[in-house]
Each structure stands twice: as structure tokens, then as C-alpha cells.
Amino acid sequence: MIERDVIILGAGPAGLAAATELARHNVGRIAVLDREQTAGGIPRHCGHLGFGWNEYRKVMTGPAYARHLTEMAGGAELKLGVTALRLEPGGIIQTTGAEGPQTWKGRAVLLALGARETPRSARLTSGARPWGVMNTGALQQFVYLHGQRPFERPVIVGSELVAFSTLMTLRHVKVRPVAMIEAGPRITARRPGDWIARLGFGVPVLLNTALLRILGHGQVEGVEIDRGNGPERLDCDGVVFTGKFRPENALLAGSHLAVDPGTQGPAIDQFWRCSDPAFFAAGNLLRGIETAGQCWREGCAAGRIIAATLLGKLQPAQTGIPVQAAGALAYVYPQRLVADDPIDPELLFFGRARQAASGDLVVRGDDRIISMHKIDALPERRIPWPVSPKSLQACRCITVSLEPDA
């Protein structure tokens, strides 16, 4: 058995930020395990600018940001090409890699496994399966890792923030999409994203447009769409499915850890602790996609909490008060609140709406309203709000609800 003080699963922004923070606190031996052969996570495949300003006051490309994260985490042992197979109680991990099956044990384990895009098969899109259908991650690997241009006139399906990242990736190889397709009445990302797509990239954004099926045999030849007047053909030579990220939660499915049905990630308390207090979680495993900067912040916070735990500054885990989402909220985390620990003077909840909505964000302790304020919410954007744990100490259950205006 290989023993370390802290084991981090995942060498993306959250995992590497946590490793950097833990090394700064001198908590002992830290190991970062990742199944990829290169550290850095998703930013490795994002060749455009836009990374690093909030973290390092530098504007970087994704690969440069990934390299910087890896360098900053130099105080940790980095083990690449190692795949975690099973999580067991008490911080035990079964893995496999070039050295064969191994058993690792950490005094604390941080799960920072990230997220993945929903593939075409799970979107139930009908039609043929020709060459030229891919998600954003595959496109970025074609462009930035292999220097290839997989098509000339693709269609982008989706309008989340990552769809606009796809526009920049395609511009890098001088490809102009035929259109961006969005089934809803507005783009999922914040405006003026649709104006930027139209005016800055010359790409029309088709709202209220359903993708019916993909056409073609050896290569994509077009798509069949419906803009409310029946099926029509849109000629193209590729289809890029964007967004609909979900936590990389395969390890959780067969584990002893509690999984939240809303986020599909591990249920945690405000100290990033899972249902087994030897395990912590941070980053996109908690809820699907967020920016690299947000994952970095969560990794830093989790690193500080793990250090406090190992140094005896954090009280042992308690059952906690359950927190549940209601109304137009798809989920809320943390899902448990330990209300009487002095290390956390203010609790920060995060949530996400099922759809665009304006209304009251209401926090109730049992049947009593603890806080309420007006918000405008989009389904892609996180909703943060602070609450004093002391105001919730006597509660048996906490409900967070987004109640749309009538």
C-alpha cells in the first residue's frame, strides 16, 4: 500500500491549485494522480487567450495556463497515466497504470475529477453517423494538439459559454460556422454573446431552432432543423455539440460516497467534505462545468480546509443539516451544513437555475425565512449567496428556492 498525507485525484485547475495550497501549508507528502499523460486538465486544449488574470494577473492561453498551474504545484508528487478504479472507505483508492494495480491510502483524499460534455448518443439526436460530428473537447484536440482542420462549414449546437469558445477555436483555423443553433428563445450564455457571434464572427444565431437529425453518409452533408415552420435542410459539413456538461462521476457510481441527484456529483458540506470525511471534493466534479478560474478558487479553498483538518484545526465531521433546492433551482451545494464550527464565519451557497428566471431567491430554515433577495438567473450561470451559519443552527432542514415572478 502506498501511503501519502494527501492524495488528489485530478490534475486540472482545482487539483493543482489544491496541491499548491497544501504544499504552502507543509502538511506532508502530497500526491496528484491523473489518467492523462499531461497535467493541466481542459485548459490544455484551449489555445485561445482568457486564462489566468484573476489567479495570476496574467493573460494566458489555455496551454500556458496549464503549464503554469503545473509548475506552481511543483511541491507535490505528480503521477500521470494513473487511472483510479475504485474508492474505498477511509481514504483508500485502487488504481492501475504503467506499474500495474496499486492501492493508495491518504489521510485525506481530494476528488477533483472534472466534468465531461454529454455525447451525441445521450442527446438522442437521430440521423446518420458520418464523419464530422464531435463535441468541443474533440474539436479542441484536433485544432490545438494536432493542428488539423476537421471541416470547413460546421454547425454549432448550443449557446452556452463553451459554444463561444468554440467560435474562437474555429477562427484559429480560419473556419466560419454556418450557424449556431439554440433550441430556446435566447442564448444560454450572457448577452451580448449573440451579437458578438453575429457581428464579430459573422455567424448567425438561430433561436427557437430544434436539431432534428444529421444528414450524410461518409461525411456530414447537412442537418435537418425546425424553426417552427416544419423541417428544413441546412447544408454543412460538420456538427459540433457544445455544453451540457456533467460531472466525471463514474468512480462515484460504485462507491460508498453519497451522490446528489441534482448536481450528479458528490454531496458535500461547506468544508468540501464528502459523506466519508476522509474524502473531499472540489471543481467541476461538484456540478458540471464552471470556468477554470472558479475551479482554481475552489481548489485553493479545499486545500486550505484539508490543511486545517490535518493540522487539527477543524472539528470532526458531523451529520449536519440537509440543504435542498426547490422551485426553479436545479440544484444547490453544499448539500449539508455544519452550523457550529468557528472556522467558517460565513457560509457561501452556490446554485443554478433550470431555466432563465427572475424572482426571489429564498433561504428557509424549516418554515422560517432566513434571507430573501431579487435575482435574475440564467441556467448556465452560478448563483452565489452568503448566509451566516449561526442563523441556521436551530434548523432541521434548509430549503433554498428560486421563486419566479408571476
Side-chain angles (χ1 to χ4, degrees), residues 76-396:
E77 174 187 4
L78 188 59
K79 300 285 289 186
L80 300 174
V82 176
T83 299
L85 301 176
R86 190 167 65 253
L87 306 177
E88 298 178 358
I92 295 175
I93 310 163
Q94 302 294 341
T95 70
T96 188
E99 300 176 20
Q102 293 180 318
T103 300
W104 294 73
K105 185 178 190 307
R107 293 171 60 201
V109 174
L110 175 65
L111 304 178
L113 298 166
R116 57 186 171 85
E117 288 177 288
T118 300
R120 174 193 171 177
S121 58
R123 297 172 188 250
L124 305 178
T125 303
S126 65
R129 296 187 175 274
W131 165 254
V133 181
M134 61 188 65
N135 61 22
T136 308
L139 172 66
Q140 290 171 336
Q141 292 190 43
F142 268 106
V143 171
Y144 295 125
L145 297 187
H146 306 296
Q148 297 179 358
R149 181 192 296 176
F151 28 58
E152 300 288 340
R153 299 174 298 107
V155 163
I156 298 173
V157 181
S159 65
E160 295 183 32
L161 189 60
V162 70
F164 296 90
S165 172
T166 299
L167 286 176
M168 291 190 283
T169 299
L170 292 170
R171 172 173 278 189
H172 186 79
V173 286
K174 297 180 172 57
V175 170
R176 178 183 293 182
V178 173
M180 180 181 289
I181 295 172
E182 168 54 50
R186 56 155 297 152
I187 63 170
T188 305
R190 290 192 185 278
R191 290 180 172 136
D194 45 353
W195 301 344
I196 292 171
R198 294 186 183 107
L199 302 178
F201 291 87
V203 177
V205 179
L206 308 182
L207 301 175
N208 295 307
T209 300
L211 174 63
L212 301 180
R213 63 190 182 110
I214 297 172
L215 310 173
H217 298 286
Q219 173 79 33
V220 172
E221 298 173 7
V223 293
E224 190 174 86
I225 60 175
D226 186 353
R227 290 192 271 184
N229 299 309
E232 59 180 289
R233 177 179 173 128
L234 184 63
D235 290 331
C236 62
D237 65 351
V239 178
V240 184
F241 286 100
T242 69
K244 294 191 175 181
F245 284 87
R246 57 185 299 163
E248 188 64 79
N249 59 6
L251 261 182
L252 302 176
S255 79
H256 63 296
L257 298 177
V259 175
D260 180 69
T263 63
Q264 301 181 57
I268 61 169
D269 65 14
Q270 75 263 38
F271 302 113
W272 314 96
R273 291 180 295 206
C274 301
S275 54
D276 178 345
F279 288 87
F280 297 73
N284 284 331
L285 178 66
L286 292 177
R287 77 268 124 174
I289 200 65
E290 268 287 1
T291 64
Q294 176 65 14
C295 293
W296 178 87
R297 286 187 287 273
E298 291 182 358
C300 290
R304 288 191 291 272
I305 288 296
I306 293 172
T309 301
L310 298 183
L311 295 172
K313 298 179 180 179
L314 189 67
Q315 292 184 12
Q318 304 171 33
T319 302
I321 305 165
V323 182
Q324 60 188 20
L329 281 183
Y331 61 74
V332 60
Y333 70 96
Q335 293 89 358
R336 300 188 315 278
L337 169 63
V338 179
D340 59 353
D341 199 300
I343 197 172
D344 188 34
E346 188 172 67
L347 171 66
L348 190 62
F349 282 113
F350 292 94
R352 187 168 290 187
R354 298 182 189 280
Q355 58 194 23
S358 297
D360 293 317
L361 185 68
V362 183
V363 180
R364 290 184 174 88
D366 300 327
D367 295 324
R368 177 170 56 95
I369 294 179
I370 303 297
S371 69
M372 180 171 63
H373 63 273
K374 292 282 187 183
I375 65 166
D376 294 316
L378 292 176
E380 190 190 45
R381 312 304 293 185
R382 67 181 176 277
I383 306 169
W385 66 97
V387 176
S388 168
K390 290 184 179 180
S391 66
L392 302 171
Q393 280 182 341
C395 301
R396 291 166 297 178

